[in-house]
Amino acid sequence: MAILQEDSSFTHIIAIDFGTGASGYAITPKLMESGKPRIEVFNPCDDTDDQKTVTAILFDDNFNFLAFGSQALQQYAEILDDEETALLFQTYKMHLLHLDSNAVSVDGREMPLMTIIAETLRFISEKALHKLSEQVGKVVKTKIKWVLTVPALWSEEHKQFMRRACVEAGIIDNLNDTNLLLCLEPEGASISVREDAEEAVRQQMDSGSVGMVLDCGGGTVDITIHKLLCEPHEKFLCEELLPSSGGCEWGSKFVDLYFEEFLKEFFGEELFESYKRNAVGRLDILKHFEMLKRKFCPGVDERSRLQLSYIGEDLCTKKLTELVKEYNSTHPSEFALKQRGTSSLELPSALMGSFFQPLFENIKSKVEQLLSQVEEKGEQLKFIFLVGGFSESPYLKSEIKKRFENKDLQILMPRRPQVSVVRGACLFGLDPHSISSRIAKKTYGINTLTTFDPEKHPETKRVTIEGEDFCEDVFDAFVKSGDSIGADEMHHKTYCPVRSRQTVMRIIFYCSDSRDADFVDEEGVEQLGELTIDIGRPFQSVEDKTVKVTLRFGHTHIYACATNRDGTEIRNCEFKFDHS
């Protein structure tokens, strides 16, 4: 949680899109009274490129940062060629999904996840500041508004982790710094696809139109559904129609996982272990498979030929021939492999498709479900926009079009879907109020005491404090799951200490999927964290220690602040999550 403030004194916005598979940044100056935003997107490893770089980071054996992105891959290969070692990390953003403490390198060693992500953000932010200084001269860091993209599926704990990583990276000074804004990835894309739409499409995006953004990345597939509240010529404004959803393990990196499951079966245990130990060979094979994956589409007359020479002498021509024969003897003909030359395999269309299908079934099933929910609300979906690196897969595009496109529903893709999110993050930074309301995913409340009422409270919840009977463990809800909450909507609660000599008030926050939880120890209610507030000296009266807590749930993450009885903000107020 952060102190409830906003700052408009910035001169530039720098948006960082830290992705599972690729990362980049964008810069835009503060918008003047009129005119179109000027957004530039950069590759952190090559500022002449306006795409993203691979998300990979390299440390030496003493855990010192060496390189990031494509430079990390190149330097790692050189280190291994010199028969030395280093720690290369890829797809480490997925460790954050499970709030893991450590991430695992390509060679099986571990480092703290916070260090790895903080160094990633430090590298990208320093590159961005250097690029901005080249453009405008001296940069006043306090005049930069930073926007960091995060999956909409992430919880408050994940978002707090990223804010802390930004502190570690030196981007902001403290967790409550107003110079950092979090942008939900599909929301950024939703803003940019309208802003960047061809004129013919934009004219169809009138007020009341409902659109879905399918943000298909390396790790997650994030889905958001917005209803436009603006006409084509007006400034972007929308409301969330359904809570953002999707799948945390539906992205393109899981195609690689299914591919490596095939390799494990094909190679056998001994050769597969050798393949995993051969770090450079494995990276080269996965890089080659990435090329095949990007262009694969069933029915297109283009063969998927996999080069296995990277494994080296562990896989000679004779061994490959034997493996192909053995594999084909135990699989249907449509999965039959063909050996090409001395070290290549031709992967049949059915086999290639099987690496994608589990993910596609999840995505299509979720879209079907959301379409029904939109109709239940009396609305009709008009557009599905495909964004993110995975959306460039011709196979994914054809599957979504085949299942969902009709005369009333268009499936569209912006010209540069991989940078839609980071461009939209800049636009969101320019106008954080462009998403007017969001749907609460959970019921949020606190654990409190209330005066005991024998008519409605169970006897087991009765406690007596300083001669007065209270009911304990009461779930006092601020907002309920499914509620539409305005982005600027404030929720206020006033709390008094129950003991006169209290100097610290601990307000414990809980969440639940249910709208009707009464007590915090009910099934399905989970502790989110606690707000610790310094409420004064022991000799002050209970009335003087009254605290007003203000929260805002309609933004991209929960904002909170506490004030004294006289309305002054309590500075010594900290929110801690259970996993922090």
Side-chain angles (χ1 to χ4, degrees):
M1 289 195 180
I3 300 299
L4 184 62
Q5 294 179 38
E6 285 185 10
D7 182 21
S8 59
S9 62
F10 62 93
T11 60
H12 289 81
I13 287 171
I14 298 176
I16 297 177
D17 184 13
F18 161 51
T20 302
S23 298
Y25 70 91
I27 300 174
T28 187
K30 185 176 181 178
L31 200 59
M32 296 297 106
E33 285 292 320
S34 59
K36 193 176 174 71
R38 180 171 56 83
I39 301 169
E40 293 181 281
V41 178
F42 296 99
N43 176 332
C45 297
D46 179 4
D47 60 14
T48 63
D49 181 17
D50 62 356
Q51 292 289 336
K52 299 194 285 186
T53 189
V54 61
T55 301
I57 192 166
L58 185 67
F59 295 86
D60 67 19
D61 290 333
N62 295 316
F63 309 115
N64 299 307
F65 171 80
L66 290 176
F68 178 77
S70 55
Q71 296 164 353
L73 297 180
Q74 182 179 344
Q75 194 169 333
Y76 185 60
E78 292 168 357
I79 287 170
L80 294 184
D81 283 344
D82 294 337
E83 297 186 347
E84 296 175 354
T85 59
L87 292 91
L88 178 72
F89 295 88
Q90 293 183 287
T91 65
Y92 47 93
K93 185 179 176 183
M94 293 197 294
H95 283 282
L96 186 50
L97 169 63
H98 304 291
L99 294 170
D100 295 333
S101 299
N102 294 333
V104 182
S105 69
V106 167
D107 65 3
R109 289 182 283 172
E110 295 188 5
M111 272 185 66
L113 183 61
M114 175 60 76
T115 302
I116 296 167
I117 291 180
E119 288 301 320
T120 297
L121 297 176
R122 187 192 309 278
F123 177 85
I124 298 173
S125 63
E126 287 177 354
K127 286 288 184 180
L129 288 171
H130 179 71
K131 171 53 66 177
L132 183 58
S133 68
E134 286 182 347
Q135 296 176 341
V136 302
K138 185 178 178 181
V139 174
V140 180
K141 198 174 176 184
T142 55
K143 295 292 185 182
I144 303 298
K145 180 188 279 189
W146 297 90
V147 183
L148 181 66
T149 66
V150 295
L153 294 166
W154 275 6
S155 68
E156 293 300 314
E157 294 100 314
H158 296 107
K159 296 170 189 175
Q160 185 81 337
F161 182 102
M162 293 306 295
R163 292 190 75 90
R164 186 173 288 109
C166 286
V167 175
E168 293 283 329
I171 294 173
I172 53 174
D173 294 330
N174 58 74
L175 287 174
N176 297 328
D177 200 315
T178 58
N179 282 23
L180 176 66
L181 189 64
L182 300 184
C183 174
L184 305 183
E185 290 166 0
E187 288 191 352
S190 181
I191 299 168
S192 71
V193 293
R194 191 263 194 174
E195 182 67 28
D196 298 338
E198 299 291 337
E199 188 60 27
V201 174
R202 184 168 176 142
Q203 288 305 316
Q204 298 174 56
M205 301 175 73
D206 51 1
S207 183
S209 297
V210 177
M212 174 188 291
V213 169
L214 211 52
D215 178 16
C216 305
T220 61
V221 171
D222 261 347
I223 308 172
T224 193
I225 298 176
H226 286 157
K227 182 176 181 178
L228 289 173
L229 303 176
C230 57
E231 297 298 343
H233 63 280
E234 294 176 329
K235 190 169 75 168
F236 181 86
L237 184 67
C238 75
E239 64 179 0
E240 191 174 58
L241 193 65
L242 294 172
S244 53
S245 57
C248 289
E249 297 180 339
W250 297 355
S252 63
K253 290 300 173 185
F254 292 91
V255 178
D256 299 357
L257 185 143
Y258 289 118
F259 165 67
E260 289 204 305
E261 284 184 2
F262 153 73
L263 286 183
K264 184 177 183 179
E265 181 187 5
F266 176 69
F267 286 155
E269 192 170 328
E270 187 178 336
L271 182 56
F272 187 71
E273 287 303 314
S274 174
Y275 157 80
K276 287 201 296 184
R277 287 193 300 271
N278 183 352
V280 172
R282 184 181 186 183
L283 287 173
D284 283 337
I285 285 175
L286 288 173
K287 188 175 179 181
H288 190 77
F289 177 70
E290 181 70 23
M291 293 164 51
L292 300 179
K293 182 175 78 174
R294 284 175 180 268
K295 62 185 181 181
F296 173 71
C297 190
V300 177
D301 189 21
E302 189 165 344
R303 295 174 181 177
S304 299
R305 184 175 291 188
L306 181 69
Q307 179 58 251
L308 295 175
S309 60
Y310 307 111
I311 295 178
E313 58 190 30
D314 286 339
L315 185 63
C316 63
T317 304
K318 182 182 177 185
K319 175 70 172 175
L320 181 60
T321 303
E322 291 171 358
L323 291 175
V324 169
K325 186 176 180 180
E326 184 180 343
Y327 182 89
N328 288 347
S329 70
T330 58
H331 291 81
S333 58
E334 63 265 28
F335 283 84
L337 302 170
K338 292 180 182 177
Q339 183 174 345
R340 298 300 186 190
T342 59
S343 58
S344 292
L345 275 185
E346 186 175 312
L347 305 179
S349 181
L351 178 61
M352 279 293 291
S354 72
F355 305 146
F356 293 82
Q357 274 305 320
L359 308 176
F360 289 179
E361 288 309 310
N362 285 331
I363 294 168
K364 289 185 288 187
S365 175
K366 189 64 183 180
V367 173
E368 291 271 16
Q369 179 189 342
L370 292 171
L371 277 169
S372 297
Q373 291 176 12
V374 169
E375 290 173 5
E376 287 169 11
K377 282 184 167 282
E379 303 284 355
Q380 184 175 5
L381 196 65
K382 195 172 180 180
F383 306 98
I384 294 178
F385 290 98
L386 292 168
V387 302
F390 194 18
S391 71
E392 295 184 83
S393 159
Y395 189 16
L396 176 58
K397 280 188 286 188
S398 70
E399 287 287 293
I400 296 297
K401 277 180 169 285
K402 189 164 57 178
R403 174 75 73 92
F404 299 110
E405 192 163 52
N406 58 51
K407 63 182 179 64
D408 299 315
L409 176 57
Q410 297 182 63
I411 313 297
L412 301 170
M413 181 185 289
R415 281 188 301 111
R416 299 168 63 210
Q418 195 184 39
V419 297
S420 290
V421 168
V422 74
R423 284 182 56 80
C426 281
L427 294 166
F428 180 70
L430 291 170
D431 184 12
H433 301 92
S434 55
I435 314 288
S436 67
S437 65
R438 293 176 175 87
I439 305 296
K441 292 185 180 179
K442 293 180 180 288
T443 297
Y444 294 98
I446 61 116
N447 178 5
T448 189
L449 293 169
T450 189
T451 302
F452 188 82
D453 182 350
E455 296 291 321
K456 64 178 184 178
H457 296 142
E459 188 63 33
T460 54
K461 296 294 183 185
R462 187 199 294 261
V463 292
T464 302
I465 300 173
E466 296 183 356
E468 187 174 351
D469 287 345
F470 293 92
C471 180
E472 65 178 351
D473 297 331
V474 174
F475 191 147
D476 186 12
F478 280 88
V479 298
K480 296 197 172 187
S481 172
D483 286 351
S484 178
I485 311 163
D488 294 323
E489 189 175 316
M490 308 287 189
H491 294 263
H492 308 285
K493 296 270 186 182
T494 301
Y495 300 103
C496 298
V498 294
R499 293 179 175 86
S500 58
R501 295 186 63 80
Q502 261 183 262
T503 58
V504 173
M505 186 182 293
R506 291 171 60 244
I507 300 176
I508 301 176
F509 281 76
Y510 291 82
C511 60
S512 172
D513 292 329
S514 169
R515 290 179 56 86
D516 303 313
D518 294 317
F519 297 101
V520 297
D521 55 0
E522 290 178 12
E523 186 177 351
V525 178
E526 298 177 349
Q527 184 170 330
L528 181 64
E530 68 176 53
L531 191 65
T532 305
I533 306 168
D534 185 347
I535 57 173
R537 299 177 179 86
F539 56 79
Q540 288 179 290
S541 68
V542 169
E543 288 76 17
D544 286 339
K545 295 176 183 178
T546 298
V547 170
K548 180 174 148 184
V549 177
T550 301
L551 296 107
R552 193 166 81 184
F553 293 92
H555 218 273
T556 54
H557 64 292
I558 299 172
Y559 284 87
C561 73
T563 54
N564 289 313
R565 190 181 182 189
D566 62 5
T568 57
E569 187 176 304
I570 300 171
R571 289 292 175 181
N572 193 6
C573 168
E574 184 181 7
F575 192 92
K576 291 184 177 179
F577 289 99
D578 282 357
H579 292 96
S580 296

